[in-house]
Amino acid sequence: GSVSYDALSLYSLVCSVTNLAGVVFNFLSDGVSAKVSKSVGRGDPGKTKANVFYALSFAGALGLTCAAVLAVLFEPILSAAGMSNAHAREKVKSFYMVKALTVPFVQITVASTGILSGYQRMALAASLNIFRCILSVIGTFLALVTMSGGLFELGMAGLISYAVSSCLGFVMVCASRPPGPAFRDWSVFRASDPSELES
């Protein structure tokens, strides 16, 4: 009926709007990878640590800001799209909010992938993306088939896959080290020596 049609339209709208953040800020991965790779190539642990810290901090702050903006714009976006079916709007609201909450985890995962690429740990970066995709497929299957869920459950599957992936990515970033003798004693959490901070 019309409710199902409106719900499907809202699903497409929500996915388009919330995924826009990932498309607009897709430069984050390439930018992070280039900066970290440059400091690694120069054998500069201090600069590399700074780039890692700024990348993760920026990704988290950017993601939270996007999530907050998306939450505030929920009603205006639906009104502008001409979605007037109150039942369908209420049904999709929880899905929209879950998708908005997913954005910070998406950005942290993207930043972690960029950092690992900058470390020249391409296999780890690829495995992180593969792991997230597999987790997303499993979560979607469980939500829609096993649990016979709806939009909210589908959104939660995506949220969980990105939340777990962002945590795993952070662990990979902290546990890995770039190649080269300058990074033999590398630790993201170890205080930098004054000599490391010199450009």
Side-chain angles (χ1 to χ4, degrees), residues 48-64:
T48 301
K49 276 183 221 176
N51 287 334
V52 170
F53 173 78
Y54 290 135
L56 291 175
S57 300
F58 179 70
L62 178 65
L64 289 172

Side-chain angles (χ1 to χ4, degrees), residues 109-121:
T109 302
V110 168
S112 297
T113 303
I115 292 169
L116 291 171
S117 297
Y119 281 1
Q120 300 177 29
R121 304 298 182 188

Side-chain angles (χ1 to χ4, degrees), residues 108-155:
I108 292 173
T109 302
V110 168
S112 297
T113 303
I115 292 169
L116 291 171
S117 297
Y119 281 1
Q120 300 177 29
R121 304 298 182 188
M122 307 306 293
L124 284 178
S127 66
L128 179 60
N129 283 327
I130 292 171
F131 172 79
R132 183 198 59 76
C133 291
I134 293 174
L135 197 62
S136 179
V137 169
I138 293 173
T140 301
F141 176 81
L142 291 175
L144 297 183
V145 179
T146 306
M147 299 172 60
S148 300
L151 291 179
F152 176 75
E153 288 78 11
L154 184 61

